[in-house]
Amino acid sequence: MLASVDPPEVQLAFDHTWRVPYRWVSDPDGSRLARPLDAWDQDASIFRPVVVAVGPDGGEVFRERSRDFTDRPDDEPILTAVERLGLPALPEPGPWTLDGVDPRPSERAFTPASFIPYFRAIKFNTLALSERMVDERDRDEVLTENTMAISFLDAFDAWRAEHPPRGQ
């Protein structure tokens, strides 16, 4: 399950664009999930990215809360924690619809066409900035962001291979 501050119609549009195998929860003020998970960014009024994996007994098997909206956890530790549970894979859900809700894309949402230039810019800018950093800790932070951008671009290539544009 995914959660965001966006209303259901925006989440539905995102799902129709990206065809993610998850369902969404709308939490506009952070009271339902973000605040209880200590993932609410008060200044920006948005979620900080947080991943929580819960086992069948209700216990957490993984949790990582990002520092800000650009910080994302790597997939491997999450997948390792979930795979340790030894559960069978769930079938991918079918198309998502909500009674009485029509998709309405957000003006700030990534589209597949905008994804690559955005993350390429992050990739090359962070690489250039890392060369200017004097402090090693700052350089490591910038290079971590660079690694994330490369990971997103690689994942997008895989996604694109599995999801050709509709009508092709």
Side-chain angles (χ1 to χ4, degrees), residues 55-99:
D57 64 356
E60 284 186 21
V61 297
F62 181 89
R63 178 190 285 249
E64 184 172 332
R65 182 180 60 97
S66 298
R67 295 167 295 182
D68 57 47
F69 70 93
T70 69
D71 184 28
R72 298 289 198 268
D74 186 50
D75 295 346
E76 288 307 313
I78 302 163
L79 295 174
T80 299
V82 172
E83 287 169 353
R84 278 193 200 124
L85 295 172
L87 300 171
L90 294 172
E92 189 167 318
W96 187 31
T97 60
L98 293 170
D99 290 337

Side-chain angles (χ1 to χ4, degrees), residues 67 70-72 126 130 137-150:
R67 295 167 295 182
T70 69
D71 184 28
R72 298 289 198 268
T126 53
S130 72
R137 188 182 75 218
D138 291 341
R139 180 178 292 113
D140 288 345
E141 286 291 322
V142 172
L143 289 174
T144 296
E145 197 83 6
N146 178 267
T147 300
M148 183 201 62
I150 291 168

Side-chain angles (χ1 to χ4, degrees), residues 126-163:
T126 53
L127 191 58
L129 285 172
S130 72
E131 297 299 319
R132 297 183 199 169
M133 297 290 121
V134 180
D135 182 277
E136 200 61 37
R137 188 182 75 218
D138 291 341
R139 180 178 292 113
D140 288 345
E141 286 291 322
V142 172
L143 289 174
T144 296
E145 197 83 6
N146 178 267
T147 300
M148 183 201 62
I150 291 168
S151 173
F152 276 26
L153 288 166
D154 291 346
F156 182 68
D157 285 343
W159 178 88
R160 224 176 10 184
E162 294 174 12
H163 301 88

